[in-house]
Amino acid sequence: MAAKRYAVHPDYRVNVRSGPGTNYRLVKVLPYGASVPINCQKPGESVAGPYGTTNLWDNIANGQFVSDAYVYTGSDGYVAERCA
């Protein structure tokens, strides 16, 4: 089953990192108006964004994470399983 897609805040080009923090390698930058699947989520570095401050990071592909502070999930908590 495919993961549900969530909208990234339309005013931001969000950095995709290799792990759950800004100290991880930059993999790519999402375009304005992107939507992403959330395969799983894990705690990491706390980040402030348009949807609040959170330490949750969303896994959008193998080895690719974005801060949940930039993704509109409608929740302040987990919306997918925790990453292993």
Side-chain angles (χ1 to χ4, degrees), residues 29-50:
V29 179
L30 297 175
Y32 291 110
S35 67
V36 295
I38 297 179
N39 301 313
C40 62
Q41 295 174 292
K42 71 187 308 180
E45 178 185 353
S46 188
V47 171

Side-chain angles (χ1 to χ4, degrees), residues 24-66:
Y24 286 87
R25 181 176 57 83
L26 179 65
V27 176
K28 64 181 180 181
V29 179
L30 297 175
Y32 291 110
S35 67
V36 295
I38 297 179
N39 301 313
C40 62
Q41 295 174 292
K42 71 187 308 180
E45 178 185 353
S46 188
V47 171
Y51 298 122
T53 300
T54 183
N55 72 337
L56 273 184
W57 285 74
D58 305 330
N59 174 265
I60 63 169
N62 188 27
Q64 297 184 22
F65 291 85
V66 296

